[in-house]
Amino acid sequence: MFSRFIPAAEALIFRNRLPIIIIFGLITLFMGYSASNLKIDAGFTKLVPMEHEFMKTYVRHQKEFGGANKIIVALAPKSGDIFTPEFFTAIQKVTDEIFFLPGVDRSRVISIFTPNARFTEVTEEGFAGGSLVPADFAPNHESLEKVRTNLLKSTHIGRLVAKDFTAALIKTDLMELDPQTGKKLNLLQVAKLLEDIREKYQNENLDVHIIGFAKVMGDMTDGASRVVLFFGVAFLITALLVFFYTLSVRRTTVLLGVALIAVIWQLGLLPLLGFGIDPMGILVPFLVFAIAVSHGIQMVSANSAGLFAGKTPLESAKNSFSSLLIPGLTALATDTIGFATIFLIKIRIIQEMAMTAGIGVAVIILTNLILLPVVLSYVSANEKYRQKLKKKATLMEPIWRKLSAVASRPVATGIIIFCLLLALLGVWKAGDIKIGDTQAGVPELRPDSRYNLDTAFITKKFSIGLDIMSIFVEGGKADAFINCENLVELDDFEWYLANVEGVQSTMSMGKYLRYANSGWNEGAPNWRVLPTNEPSIASCLISISSSSGLMNADASVMPIYLFTKDHTSETIAKIVTAAREYCNNHLPLCNCMKITLMGNNLGVMAATNEEVQASQTPILLYVYGAVILFCLIAFRSIRAVLCILLPLALVSLLGYALMAIMGIGLKVNTLPIIALGVGVGVDYGIYIYASFKSILQRGESFRKAYEMTLDITGNGVLVTAFSLAIGVATWIWSPLQFQADMGILLTFLFLVNMLGAVFVLPALAAWLLRGENTHETSK
């Protein structure tokens, strides 16, 4: 099938070497210019599955009840309480600055200084109330005591003001579009402005704590700027080890230069296609660099083998091109299609990571299979260099001879049994992997990061934080809840949810109606119950504004807010399960009204966790389906597919087990990593298998064939794995916990994929390939 294609491609490429180099150079300059326009593109909706039922509920009620993209700013005096003129002056100014931030939903800004922060009391003349901070407030002792009294009459203690009066909050929502420009809100700009507010008002007497999605993205982007430094360290380590392998500065420079060209093209194509790069996907360019280095080392290794045999640089380049074209195309096509299939997962950030990786690998087809051999054809080799290669070959020969024992059946049997035990261990531990976050705070940041410390402070001081879930009860018509039976159902549902493990407190109209009913009856405690007739309900609702978030304008929808102890996957799953069980077991509620799940940030997390759980198996099936398809096309053998596929599957299983052991949850930013890691592993396997099978078909014995394979191909696989693994291991010291975790995981994948290709693949081949047209002459 390829007998005509390969010679024709070789002739076409090597007859036009200089034009090819010029064309690649010009395109690289253009792509470099385009890459300079690449922007960090962070977005809230990119991280969530907008087609999920929870997200449809979220979008439907977002305008009336707010969204999940919140900002919370806490001001806390370093000593004493908040009732000082200096503190009130500061919180008033910060409230004004938050109000005028770009993208802020000004109708939802709330602090003790905003008019929507009110108190209500019962007097001899009936209901009375007003703003927490009166309009005639002056920063003096009398006014401060008045505010303290108003707070004690309100429901804002623990929500806007700390339970011990040592801190106060400003809260608001961010919109997806900036209303002033009509364009997508720049979250990084908002994060920068929030940090400016901190620097402006924090001093020796006042602390400022800030949390929210925009701040997370800002902190991650700041950490990502240092990611470049770690990429540089990884590059230098890779360069050093590649040099020790090639024994040539020029070949090392060519190999790494071509790998960098692939990354430049990848980054240059993104803005041309209208995309930026998300902080969560910033590791993808390095994965593309790793795949490019992996393929490049194989090309350099084959080229060096030709030089070792006494061929000219041009002849060596032609031979390496012809021998590696099909294995290289197979591996890279497998990577490209495998990554492209991840695009089917309906979470935008995963789609962007899949597209970014797919573009990068597609570019490698051009750079590594065309440009690299062409450039190598100009890199001359003198007799001194050939002697270096011979000396290295002599030094490594006994090592390859010993390692080739894995291709003998007795050793292969032991390896296969050991792998079966590892698989059982992997299945056992992989079952413990968690979906979503596994710890409080933001797991992408270090536990001692400023953001996570701010989160811990706000959680400790207040009854609320960002861990809020809202469940909407829809009456289906206006004034549906001026009905006692409906209110009782709503109240029963809230009581049920309040007793779910992980829920700290709840809030709904039912609680407020109790106080209102008591107020209409001279504040008598025995009247602190739900009103029992429509006139009483209507009179109680009059005192409650729709801006309170407890109902919409026509009283047809009322939410129940749940404030949880954390946002771990276990807490979210328990609440979702309990809510669904209640709906299933209380059909009258569902018949006369409709419960829709769910909103706020925990509702978004619940939707994301469910989508991730549903997507983890399809992603692997898509990637492995591509591996099977292209390996079948290239090698036309089920046994070949099994030899390549089974080590990959074992490594994926062990990768999940490692994530479970390390406490790394399966999220939108970690979900594609195992699948993307397959892209490196399949390269190892395809190159080793293609070389091994080719030598077997020349009539060599099984073990001798594998010894020769190790010398030509396995050597490069070992160098690739160790150089990339050592490089990414430096990420452990990254300021981002996410990058540190990925450094450990990628180090594991690079090394264990190599072990699978070098040891497990030939062990499987020893049992599967013997007698399959291998011209085996001896054991």
Side-chain angles (χ1 to χ4, degrees):
M1 181 168 60
F2 305 113
S3 58
R4 294 183 180 178
F5 170 69
I6 295 175
E10 177 190 310
L12 177 64
I13 290 170
F14 286 94
R15 277 202 307 261
N16 299 280
R17 290 184 294 166
L18 190 57
I20 286 174
I21 291 175
I22 293 173
I23 291 170
F24 270 87
L26 293 174
I27 294 175
T28 301
L29 289 174
F30 174 74
M31 291 300 180
Y33 170 76
S34 177
S36 66
N37 297 317
L38 185 64
K39 306 293 184 185
I40 296 291
D41 180 24
F44 180 76
T45 57
K46 290 168 60 174
L47 299 173
V48 296
M50 296 305 293
E51 298 298 317
H52 193 279
E53 59 173 311
F54 294 174
M55 292 310 303
K56 292 178 180 178
T57 299
Y58 166 86
V59 171
R60 187 165 67 251
H61 294 297
Q62 182 179 9
K63 186 174 181 180
E64 290 181 310
F65 298 105
N69 191 359
K70 299 181 181 297
I71 293 174
I72 296 180
V73 179
L75 272 63
K78 292 186 177 181
S79 61
D81 59 27
I82 64 173
F83 297 106
T84 64
E86 294 78 15
F87 181 85
F88 270 66
T89 300
I91 195 169
Q92 183 177 22
K93 290 180 178 179
V94 173
T95 299
D96 292 341
E97 297 221 24
I98 296 294
F99 188 85
F100 289 105
L101 284 177
V104 162
D105 185 347
R106 294 176 181 174
S107 66
R108 298 197 176 278
V109 177
I110 182 169
S111 80
I112 58 174
F113 268 95
T114 55
N116 55 352
R118 301 180 63 80
F119 72 96
T120 303
E121 63 177 330
V122 179
T123 67
E124 295 86 349
E125 299 176 355
F127 281 103
S131 299
L132 293 177
V133 178
D136 59 350
F137 174 81
N140 54 46
H141 178 74
E142 182 180 353
S143 293
L144 292 173
E145 286 303 311
K146 179 65 174 176
V147 174
R148 185 196 295 267
T149 302
N150 292 345
L151 280 167
L152 292 171
K153 297 174 185 177
S154 76
T155 59
H156 293 297
I157 295 177
R159 303 187 187 280
L160 277 184
V161 175
K163 292 168 279 190
D164 58 359
F165 295 120
T166 57
L169 296 181
I170 303 112
K171 301 187 293 182
T172 189
D173 287 3
L174 288 178
M175 295 181 281
E176 188 69 18
L177 299 177
D178 187 338
Q180 294 182 343
T181 64
K183 297 180 181 180
K184 181 180 177 181
L185 180 63
N186 186 340
L187 294 177
L188 302 184
Q189 179 191 8
V190 175
K192 175 65 169 58
L193 293 172
L194 287 170
E195 200 57 41
D196 290 343
I197 291 173
R198 190 203 303 270
E199 292 179 6
K200 184 175 180 181
Y201 292 97
Q202 183 161 294
N203 53 43
E204 65 275 6
N205 299 316
L206 186 69
D207 279 332
V208 180
H209 308 271
I210 306 172
I211 60 176
F213 179 76
K215 195 68 181 68
V216 173
M217 289 295 101
D219 289 358
M220 286 198 64
T221 303
D222 290 342
S225 63
R226 293 178 61 184
V227 168
V228 177
L229 173 63
F230 286 93
F231 283 173
V233 172
F235 178 83
L236 291 175
I237 292 173
T238 302
L240 186 63
L241 292 177
V242 169
F243 169 73
F244 282 123
Y245 171 69
T246 62
L247 302 176
S248 168
V249 173
R250 288 183 296 172
R251 283 168 178 77
T252 300
T253 303
V254 168
L255 191 159
L256 296 179
V258 170
L260 283 178
I261 287 173
V263 176
I264 291 170
W265 283 31
Q266 174 201 29
L267 298 178
L269 283 169
L270 289 178
L272 293 177
L273 296 173
F275 292 95
I277 187 165
D278 192 275
M280 298 293 187
I282 205 160
L283 300 182
V284 175
F286 184 82
L287 282 175
V288 170
F289 175 75
I291 293 173
V293 169
S294 175
H295 287 268
I297 284 180
Q298 293 302 324
M299 188 66 72
V300 171
S301 180
N303 183 268
S304 297
L307 296 173
F308 180 81
K311 295 179 180 178
T312 66
L314 180 58
E315 292 171 337
S316 298
K318 287 182 177 181
N319 286 346
S320 60
F321 171 83
S322 299
S323 62
L324 295 181
L325 180 61
I326 298 307
L329 275 176
T330 302
L332 291 169
T334 300
D335 295 344
T336 303
I337 301 301
F339 296 159
T341 56
I342 301 176
F343 196 85
L344 298 174
I345 305 301
K346 295 181 180 179
I347 300 177
R348 188 178 164 194
I349 182 63
I350 292 180
Q351 292 177 332
E352 287 190 6
M353 290 174 72
M355 186 193 66
T356 304
I359 289 173
V361 176
V363 166
I364 294 173
I365 294 176
L366 300 175
T367 57
N368 280 56
L369 297 184
I370 297 177
L371 179 62
L372 182 56
V374 166
V375 176
L376 286 174
S377 70
Y378 287 103
V379 181
S380 60
N382 54 29
E383 187 59 31
K384 183 179 179 181
Y385 180 66
R386 289 188 172 89
Q387 289 303 318
K388 286 183 181 179
L389 293 178
K390 290 178 180 179
K391 184 178 179 180
K392 187 180 78 167
T394 302
L395 181 66
M396 298 300 295
E397 185 178 0
I399 298 176
W400 303 142
R401 188 179 303 115
K402 290 180 180 180
L403 284 180
S404 66
V406 299
S408 64
R409 282 192 171 180
V411 178
T413 302
I415 290 174
I416 292 172
I417 293 173
F418 178 70
C419 288
L420 289 174
L421 294 175
L422 280 180
L424 292 175
L425 176 65
V427 170
W428 173 51
K429 291 306 297 181
D432 295 335
I433 194 169
K434 305 297 183 183
I435 305 295
D437 290 341
T438 59
Q439 62 191 51
V442 176
E444 287 80 11
L445 301 174
R446 293 284 188 180
D448 59 351
S449 67
R450 181 62 187 265
Y451 185 94
N452 282 333
L453 294 177
D454 286 350
T455 300
F457 175 86
I458 291 172
T459 303
K460 178 182 178 181
K461 290 290 185 180
F462 298 87
S463 300
I464 63 171
L466 284 179
D467 297 333
I468 308 171
M469 180 180 288
S470 51
I471 298 175
F472 301 94
V473 183
E474 301 173 352
K477 61 180 181 180
D479 299 326
F481 289 93
I482 306 179
N483 177 292
C484 184
E485 291 183 0
N486 289 354
L487 279 178
V488 169
E489 290 281 13
L490 175 73
D491 194 60
D492 288 347
F493 187 31
E494 180 186 0
W495 181 87
Y496 173 82
L497 293 171
N499 288 278
V500 175
E501 184 182 355
V503 177
Q504 284 187 317
S505 62
T506 62
M507 181 174 66
S508 77
M509 182 62 76
K511 285 187 176 180
Y512 282 82
L513 286 178
R514 282 182 164 84
Y515 287 98
N517 192 38
S518 175
W520 281 110
N521 291 276
E522 299 179 347
N526 58 315
W527 281 95
R528 197 170 290 175
V529 294
L530 290 175
T532 56
N533 55 72
E534 290 189 6
S536 297
I537 295 171
S539 62
C540 290
L541 288 175
I542 289 173
S543 62
I544 302 174
S545 168
S546 61
S547 64
S548 66
L550 297 176
M551 65 178 180
N552 63 348
D554 62 0
S556 63
V557 180
M558 291 188 178
I560 299 172
Y561 296 100
L562 310 179
F563 303 95
T564 66
K565 65 177 184 180
D566 54 46
H567 56 259
T568 60
S569 56
E570 292 92 340
T571 299
I572 294 174
K574 287 175 183 175
I575 297 172
V576 172
T577 301
R580 283 174 168 158
E581 286 180 356
Y582 189 93
C583 292
N584 294 333
N585 296 332
H586 293 74
L587 294 180
L589 174 64
C590 295
N591 288 334
C592 65
M593 296 183 290
K594 182 181 178 183
I595 294 176
T596 55
L597 310 176
M598 41 194 43
N600 254 298
N601 74 306
L602 286 197
V604 171
M605 289 184 183
T608 305
N609 290 352
E610 290 193 354
E611 187 67 25
V612 167
Q613 189 165 24
S615 301
Q616 59 172 323
T617 301
I619 276 186
L620 288 178
L621 289 178
Y622 295 154
V623 173
Y624 280 107
V627 172
I628 293 170
L629 175 64
F630 283 95
C631 287
L632 278 176
I633 292 173
F635 301 114
R636 290 171 288 176
S637 167
I638 295 294
R639 297 180 184 184
V641 172
L642 291 174
C643 288
I644 296 169
L645 188 71
L646 292 179
L648 288 176
L650 176 62
V651 174
S652 294
L653 186 62
L654 294 177
Y656 280 120
L658 179 66
M659 290 177 68
I661 293 170
M662 292 177 57
I664 301 174
L666 203 58
K667 302 172 58 178
V668 293
N669 53 352
T670 58
L671 181 62
I673 294 297
I674 297 291
L676 294 175
V678 172
V680 176
V682 74
D683 297 343
Y684 298 163
I686 287 176
Y687 278 119
I688 285 182
Y689 181 85
S691 178
F692 187 31
K693 190 68 184 289
S694 174
I695 296 171
L696 279 173
Q697 289 176 338
R698 296 206 301 260
E700 297 288 347
S701 69
F702 215 82
R703 181 165 175 175
K704 182 63 177 177
Y706 192 60
E707 180 183 339
M708 296 171 67
T709 299
L710 288 172
D711 184 41
I712 299 171
T713 305
N715 196 358
V717 168
L718 289 168
V719 171
T720 302
F722 280 112
S723 61
L724 295 176
I726 294 172
V728 298
T730 61
W731 297 0
I732 295 171
W733 293 276
S734 169
L736 297 180
Q737 185 66 49
F738 167 67
Q739 190 188 11
D741 291 341
M742 290 305 99
I744 296 172
L745 187 57
L746 288 175
T747 298
F748 175 85
L749 291 176
F750 288 148
L751 290 177
V752 181
N753 270 317
M754 175 270 292
L755 295 175
V758 172
F759 292 97
V760 182
L761 188 154
L764 291 169
W767 285 98
L768 294 175
L769 294 188
R770 286 180 183 267
E772 189 201 33
N773 191 30
T774 60
H775 302 289
E776 181 185 356
T777 60
S778 68
K779 293 183 181 180

